[in-house]
Amino acid sequence: MVNQTDKPINKILINFHPDLKIESAIFNTNSESKKIDQEVTEISLHKPLQPGETANLDFKISYHWSAVNGHDSFNSIIENGSFMRISRYFPTFGYQANNEIEDEEKRAKFKLGKQSELKKLEAPEVFKKDFITLDMTVSTEKNQTAVGTGDLVQQYIKNNRNYFRYKAENIPFRFAVSSAKYQTKTTVYKGVTINIFYHEKHSENVNHLIENAKITLDYCIQNFGKYPFKTVNFAEVSSFTKGFAATAYPSSIFMTEDMLFHANIHADKDQDVINELAGHELSHLWWGNSGIDPDDREGAVMLTETLAMYTEMMLYKKMHGKEKMMERIKVHQQIFDNEKGLSQNQPLYKVTGENTHISYSKGAIIMVKLSELIGENKVNTALRSFLLHNQYPKKPTSLDLLKEFYKVGPNEAVNRKIDILFKSE
Ligand SMILES: [Zn+2]
């Protein structure tokens, strides 16, 4: 850890995840060591950490199911097909607004003030040096393969266990791991290695997935820029893992068995789940949170989910034609209409995380409308320029993206229409 502020730090708040047991944790500076054994610990340093000075945290945490914590479906450790979003369980530093009590009565009872609000979209722009170089070594049972985050750089057997070392440079603090008795299928496409890790009985969609990955790579590389890794891994994880059908991490995409690998894609001719998921997830490696890392404020999800939905739609159009894509858009219109009465309405450019009917569904609708207003090529020119101008350490906002759309807009009248699309509720 580095003190990136311009002031000495003499107090540090460290938070461990409540579901994990701290086996050991020691915070070390150049001159002192502090032992940590509480979930939330405030450390006071005798000798403050000076600007630019480093410290380190050496910790060991463990996790197992128990009657008290139950089975955390976001974090399935099972015999075959485990998946952990491990970075979510790493310690965090400083005040955690996410942990605030939401219940107004409880807040009053504890004499707490107003809950922290999400940062306003118009707040000053942010540059933050918080990307990491990930060097991750995972060991698993001898008959299993561990899929990590980043490119595989080393593999060996030690003490009868399989070891895998993954590396990724300049990525947001997000990493996950899966482990299973995997079958693998590997294809090299235009210099990128595509690996599919799947259950031996779920091979039916593997070729379709590879074809989709190729089409997505082609579209994204051509329109948005270079693919940032050497490999793309698609790994099947257990259907115990709930809450998502697929999720993208730098160079690795994890997909659940029932939603994808073992899904019957011929059952519904009007829907191609592989295309929706593969295209969507793979495109996240250009968008947030991989290629860019949006600032945590109003509108942030427009730079992650809305852009992935746009890519998904354009790929759908490319593969199945415009008419079929418009049928998908109709479905998203229905999802949006069903949900909009139930929660607070927001314009897309200020959408917040919980309103997925806006960021995904309305986002897809608006981006397709935009592609009709100014043309798919111009939208892609704007997106490429957006990526170029908002690289790390910049934390872009939805206003940065709107600026790029205005730049490619042919005239003032069209730009006013763009404004209405993104800014009206
Ligand atoms: Zn997504």
Side-chain angles (χ1 to χ4, degrees), residues 161-172:
R161 284 178 72 80
N162 270 342
Y163 280 76
F164 301 86
R165 185 170 168 211
Y166 290 89
K167 271 187 115 168
E169 269 164 39
N170 259 338
I171 60 165

Side-chain angles (χ1 to χ4, degrees), residues 37-215:
D37 51 14
Q38 301 292 318
E39 210 178 289
V40 180
T41 306
E42 189 186 69
I43 287 182
S44 295
L45 297 172
H46 293 299
K47 206 173 149 232
L49 201 65
Q50 297 301 319
E53 200 182 334
T54 58
N56 71 66
L57 181 67
D58 197 331
F59 64 94
K60 184 176 176 181
I61 48 185
S62 69
Y63 175 83
H64 61 92
W65 299 6
S66 72
V68 180
N69 68 12
H71 167 217
D72 183 352
S73 55
F74 259 97
N75 195 21
S76 297
I77 300 170
I78 56 167
E79 206 176 321
N80 189 12
S82 295
F83 175 64
M84 282 188 93
R85 297 174 180 271
I86 185 75
S87 56
R88 290 196 183 182
Y89 298 88
F90 269 50
T92 52
F93 299 90
Y95 182 72
Q96 303 297 305
N98 296 345
N99 293 347
E100 285 179 2
I101 294 169
E102 284 171 26
D103 189 316
E104 293 291 340
E105 272 175 42
K106 270 193 192 160
R107 293 193 71 83
K109 200 173 123 197
F110 291 118
K111 299 197 168 59
L112 295 169
K114 267 186 82 182
Q115 234 187 300
S116 302
E117 273 179 5
L118 186 63
K119 202 199 275 185
K120 290 273 173 259
L121 176 58
E122 297 79 9
E125 72 176 339
V126 172
F127 292 83
K128 204 168 162 194
K129 292 199 166 168
D130 58 356
F131 272 26
I132 57 165
T133 293
L134 178 71
D135 188 337
M136 163 186 218
T137 301
V138 193
S139 82
T140 185
E141 285 174 20
K142 211 184 156 189
N143 58 2
Q144 298 207 2
T145 304
V147 178
T149 302
D151 295 318
L152 181 70
V153 293
Q154 202 183 1
Q155 187 181 341
Y156 52 92
I157 297 169
K158 202 171 93 184
N159 299 332
N160 220 23
R161 284 178 72 80
N162 270 342
Y163 280 76
F164 301 86
R165 185 170 168 211
Y166 290 89
K167 271 187 115 168
E169 269 164 39
N170 259 338
I171 60 165
F173 195 89
R174 291 182 75 241
F175 40 94
V177 62
S178 73
S179 174
K181 290 172 199 153
Y182 284 127
Q183 297 285 316
T184 55
K185 183 156 184 176
T186 297
T187 313
V188 179
Y189 186 67
K190 294 185 179 167
V192 180
T193 304
I194 303 168
N195 296 314
I196 316 287
F197 296 90
Y198 61 98
H199 189 283
E200 58 176 350
K201 288 191 183 136
H202 301 166
S203 62
E204 60 264 40
N205 297 335
V206 168
N207 288 335
H208 191 44
L209 182 53
I210 290 177
E211 285 318 302
N212 268 283
K214 288 180 182 172
I215 293 165

